[in-house]
Amino acid sequence: MKNGDKSIQGICFGEVLWDNLPTGKKLGGAPLNVAYHLNKLGVTTRMLTRIGRDDNGYELRNVCEDLGIPTDFFQYDDLLPTSTVEVSIDAKRDVHYDIVYPVAWDRIAVDNVVLEAVTAVGFLVYGSLACRDEVSFQSLLLLLEKARFRVMDVNLRTPYFGPEKIHKLLGYADFVKMNAEELHVISNWNGATDTYTDQQRVDLIMERFAVQEAIVTYGADGAVYHYKKDNISYHFPALKVQVEDTIGSGDSFLAAFLTKRFQMQEGVQLEEVLEFAATLSGFVTQSRGACPEYNDEVINRFQWLHPIFNGAQKQQ
């Protein structure tokens, strides 16, 4: 494992929260998970979010600082609370989520300092959940106008999504990450039928919204990377690991992919980028929680113990 280039800096926009599980609360939020792994991999990435002036907010900020996530772009709300998600498990062991609304990150603001920062850094990562409220949505649109490279991490959570906002966000994206279910939802909005293959669905989305790169994740079946410029698609298998939980595995895949992607101009090959992303995602899957502790030595040893025998396969 080689850490990222310190000169490449980014910003993650969106939700930070506490998941209130039956066993206690746990730090969460997809953009926060991505920011954690990018910083662990040497790519300095700020988290642009908003928390309440309450005990949950101060504790969340302190935990983020302990994890190495810069908090200088944390905003503080005097009226709305820090975000919580009530997690319940029914008799069938199905998990249900109640993402409390409204909360502080629904009202993320933008000023000249933030706009200048987004203009200066290499990339902006954003998701769709943080846009459920018009305030944060409009703030993000201002940032997207300024960003150099825009990475959309689709995060469809009922009832907080619909085609109008998702299409608007896709229209700005240079790079999109989504899972197979999200691929089907979005492509169906745009005319796909049951006869469409996943490749046709991806092509439909990338063509309509001028997306240059896309990753579709398939859980235990790995991921497929699509690159419009060269008209290529690569499938990469997931590592066979003992699953502890799948929380944050897709977020870690995205962070690892971006870290290596920015090194491609230095001679790093696409297959190496995908292998590294699959390795970190596998490590997170066999670890507890979305933000486990690790370093170069830990990941190198994990990679040695879990070799990838069948790497990226180019698809026609």
Side-chain angles (χ1 to χ4, degrees), residues 36-74:
Y36 168 77
H37 290 290
L38 285 167
N39 282 289
K40 288 292 287 183
L41 298 172
V43 181
T44 302
T45 304
R46 291 183 173 103
M47 184 70 224
L48 174 56
T49 189
R50 195 173 183 93
I51 58 177
R53 292 191 185 275
D54 49 33
D55 290 344
N56 273 340
Y58 299 135
E59 183 181 1
L60 191 152
R61 180 197 61 197
N62 292 339
V63 171
C64 287
E65 290 174 349
D66 290 342
L67 291 173
I69 302 170
T71 60
D72 51 324
F73 278 5
F74 274 41

Side-chain angles (χ1 to χ4, degrees), residues 43 104 114 173-174 179 217 232-233 240 290:
V43 181
V114 172
D174 300 298
N179 61 34
T217 58
I232 59 173
S233 296
K240 304 301 181 184

Side-chain angles (χ1 to χ4, degrees), residues 6-284:
K6 288 285 188 179
S7 66
I8 299 171
Q9 297 182 334
I11 292 175
C12 288
F13 174 99
E15 67 272 14
V16 296
L17 52 89
W18 289 109
D19 281 321
N20 287 332
L21 304 164
T23 55
K25 66 182 182 182
K26 182 174 293 185
L27 190 67
L32 176 66
N33 298 337
V34 175
Y36 168 77
H37 290 290
L38 285 167
N39 282 289
K40 288 292 287 183
L41 298 172
V43 181
T44 302
T45 304
R46 291 183 173 103
M47 184 70 224
L48 174 56
T49 189
R50 195 173 183 93
I51 58 177
R53 292 191 185 275
D54 49 33
D55 290 344
N56 273 340
Y58 299 135
E59 183 181 1
L60 191 152
R61 180 197 61 197
N62 292 339
V63 171
C64 287
E65 290 174 349
D66 290 342
L67 291 173
I69 302 170
T71 60
D72 51 324
F73 278 5
F74 274 41
Q75 300 172 5
Y76 300 88
D77 200 293
D78 293 319
L79 300 177
L80 293 174
T82 299
S83 179
T84 57
V85 176
E86 302 302 325
V87 183
S88 60
I89 303 175
D90 63 24
K92 297 180 180 180
R93 306 303 295 171
D94 291 329
V95 181
H96 304 276
Y97 302 92
D98 179 14
I99 308 173
V100 176
Y101 174 86
V103 294
W105 56 257
D106 287 308
R107 307 293 160 82
I108 300 172
V110 168
D111 58 20
N112 287 334
V113 173
V114 172
L115 287 173
E116 290 174 6
V118 167
T119 303
V121 298
F123 61 92
L124 173 68
V125 177
Y126 62 100
S128 51
L129 177 58
C131 296
R132 64 180 183 174
D133 189 278
E134 195 67 18
V135 174
S136 289
F137 179 54
Q138 292 300 324
S139 292
L140 177 57
L141 294 183
L142 291 175
L143 299 176
L144 291 172
E145 291 285 351
K146 300 290 185 180
R148 294 183 184 180
F149 188 77
R150 294 154 291 198
V151 180
M152 181 177 177
D153 185 6
V154 178
N155 191 10
L156 304 185
R157 293 291 182 269
T158 304
Y160 301 118
F161 68 89
E164 184 176 352
K165 282 187 178 179
I166 298 300
H167 288 169
K168 184 77 170 179
L169 297 174
L170 284 168
Y172 284 97
D174 300 298
F175 186 116
V176 174
K177 192 214 85 176
M178 55 191 152
N179 61 34
E181 181 179 355
E182 291 161 343
L183 169 65
H184 280 242
V185 169
I186 296 171
S187 58
N188 285 348
W189 286 341
N190 290 278
T193 67
D194 291 343
T195 63
Y196 274 53
T197 65
D198 279 12
Q199 181 66 58
Q200 289 173 317
R201 291 175 180 274
V202 172
D203 290 343
L204 176 67
I205 293 170
M206 296 182 76
E207 182 66 29
R208 170 164 182 183
F209 298 102
V211 175
Q212 297 304 306
E213 299 175 75
I215 287 177
V216 181
T217 58
Y218 292 90
D221 292 325
V224 179
Y225 168 71
H226 305 268
Y227 186 39
K228 184 176 181 180
K229 181 179 178 182
D230 292 341
N231 196 29
I232 59 173
S233 296
Y234 275 88
H235 173 261
F236 207 89
L239 270 67
K240 304 301 181 184
V241 298
Q242 183 67 40
V243 178
E244 177 66 28
D245 64 54
T246 60
I247 300 172
S249 60
D251 302 326
S252 63
F253 189 100
L254 176 60
F257 187 96
L258 291 175
T259 300
K260 283 292 185 182
R261 181 199 177 282
F262 293 126
Q263 297 175 350
M264 287 181 69
Q265 63 269 27
E266 302 172 10
V268 175
Q269 299 299 309
L270 177 58
E271 290 82 356
E272 184 180 347
V273 176
L274 289 164
E275 181 174 356
F276 181 63
T279 296
L280 184 60
S281 179
F283 173 78
V284 171

